[in-house]
Every structure is written in structure tokens, then in C-alpha cells.
Amino acid sequence: MNEPQKQLTPLELQIMKVLWDCGPSKVQTVRENLPASPKLAYTTVQTMLNVLHRKGRVKRTLRGRAYEYEPLLSRDRARTTRFTT
């Protein structure tokens, strides 16, 4: 519990912004709303969402055959606790 919180990487921050703006989303929705050009691979976005899940920044819920990801870290908390780079 005393472990210092790690900052979000630039890609993690982009993904969090999509979740904050769009609400609970599946991997494909996040991928389509990322500003990256060219588009990131589906598996890259999926991996990053799984990393955010392990870090406790998002929760996931199985909906049908795919997970839906929802932010646990609020935009305000990310700003005030210096999670962002």
C-alpha cells in the first residue's frame, strides 16, 4: 500500500482519455477513438487495456464474448496526483 503510484505512459493516458470521454468501452471502440495515425493494432490496444487493468486504473466486465473497460481513475485524480506525464 505504501508503494508509490507510477505515472501513466503517454499511450496509457491516451487510452484513459478515450475511456473518460466515451465511458465504458470495448477494445474496438477504444482503438477507433485513439488519435494515433496509423491506427494501432487491436492486440496492442487490448494489451494496454490489460496493463491498465492490472495497475488498477480500469475495471473490466465481460459482456458477451468481449470485455468492456471502464476507468477507475478519474480525470481529476489523474491531474491532481501527477499520474500524467
Side-chain angles (χ1 to χ4, degrees):
M1 186 112 154
N2 292 332
E3 181 180 317
Q5 295 289 338
K6 294 187 174 148
Q7 293 182 336
L8 294 172
T9 67
L11 181 54
E12 288 172 342
L13 182 58
Q14 286 182 349
I15 289 170
M16 291 301 294
K17 285 179 180 177
V18 171
L19 293 174
W20 290 326
D21 292 342
C22 297
S25 303
K26 294 183 179 178
V27 176
Q28 188 63 33
T29 303
V30 173
R31 181 178 177 267
E32 289 169 357
N33 286 282
L34 283 172
S37 182
K39 288 291 184 193
L40 295 172
Y42 180 95
T43 54
T44 301
V45 177
Q46 183 177 43
T47 298
M48 293 307 301
L49 283 163
N50 288 331
V51 167
L52 286 165
H53 177 256
R54 280 196 310 271
K55 288 182 174 182
R57 304 296 196 274
V58 300
K59 73 175 184 175
R60 66 183 184 191
T61 306
L62 191 59
R63 304 266 186 231
R65 294 176 47 198
Y67 281 110
E68 185 175 79
Y69 294 85
E70 183 176 350
L72 291 175
L73 176 65
S74 72
R75 192 183 307 248
D76 288 337
R77 179 152 163 80
R79 259 189 237 127
T80 60
T81 57
R82 297 186 170 269
F83 281 108
T84 59
T85 55

